[in-house]
Amino acid sequence: MSVRVRRIYEEPDADDGLRVLVDRLWPRGVAKEEAHVDEWPKGLTPSPELRTWFHGGGSYEEFRRRYEAELDAPEAAELLDGLRRSVREGRVTLLTASRTPERSHAQVLLERLGG
């Protein structure tokens, strides 16, 4: 099992495996053909309301709690199960535009996937 988080602004790496964009919005300044994104499961991303709340000054701890609750919803849970299957099959790289991936939804997903 191998899963990691990388910023989408980094050059794709031959060792990335399945490249999954985990942001709801397409990152600024990144051409789709150059990003080499294999999957973009928007149902796994934080809701627009949660995202707005967090970027408006909400605490990471509360964001994390609320996001984990969103991941338990049926659509997100199903998408997460699919991603777990992909992780069992090989390397998965979660891509985010976040400047601090270690304090973002990507970190929560990484931990949920056993990374």
Side-chain angles (χ1 to χ4, degrees):
M1 181 184 306
S2 182
V3 60
R4 66 180 176 178
V5 173
R6 294 185 68 210
R7 292 196 72 223
I8 193 160
Y9 299 107
E10 298 174 47
E11 287 292 319
D13 186 293
D15 195 36
D16 282 345
L18 183 72
R19 291 173 53 89
V20 181
L21 179 62
V22 294
D23 292 347
R24 185 168 295 266
L25 304 175
W26 188 264
R28 288 186 180 143
V30 177
K32 289 186 179 183
E33 57 276 354
E34 293 174 10
H36 302 282
V37 169
D38 298 308
E39 294 182 11
W40 188 12
K42 293 180 187 177
L44 268 181
T45 65
S47 66
E49 298 80 16
L50 180 56
R51 184 179 171 277
T52 300
W53 175 84
F54 182 51
H55 291 293
S59 75
Y60 178 70
E61 292 73 24
E62 180 64 16
F63 165 80
R64 181 183 185 91
R65 187 189 68 72
R66 292 180 186 188
Y67 180 48
E68 287 178 342
E70 289 185 356
L71 289 174
D72 291 334
E75 178 190 3
E78 186 176 323
L79 290 168
L80 197 55
D81 285 343
L83 211 46
R84 283 188 184 104
R85 285 190 294 277
S86 295
V87 169
R88 285 193 297 271
E89 293 171 7
R91 163 87 64 179
V92 172
T93 298
L94 306 177
L95 302 169
T96 182
S98 174
R99 290 186 183 128
T100 54
E102 66 281 356
R103 290 188 56 83
S104 75
H105 65 289
Q107 181 65 33
V108 176
L109 285 172
L110 177 71
E111 292 170 14
R112 282 279 185 113
L113 293 168

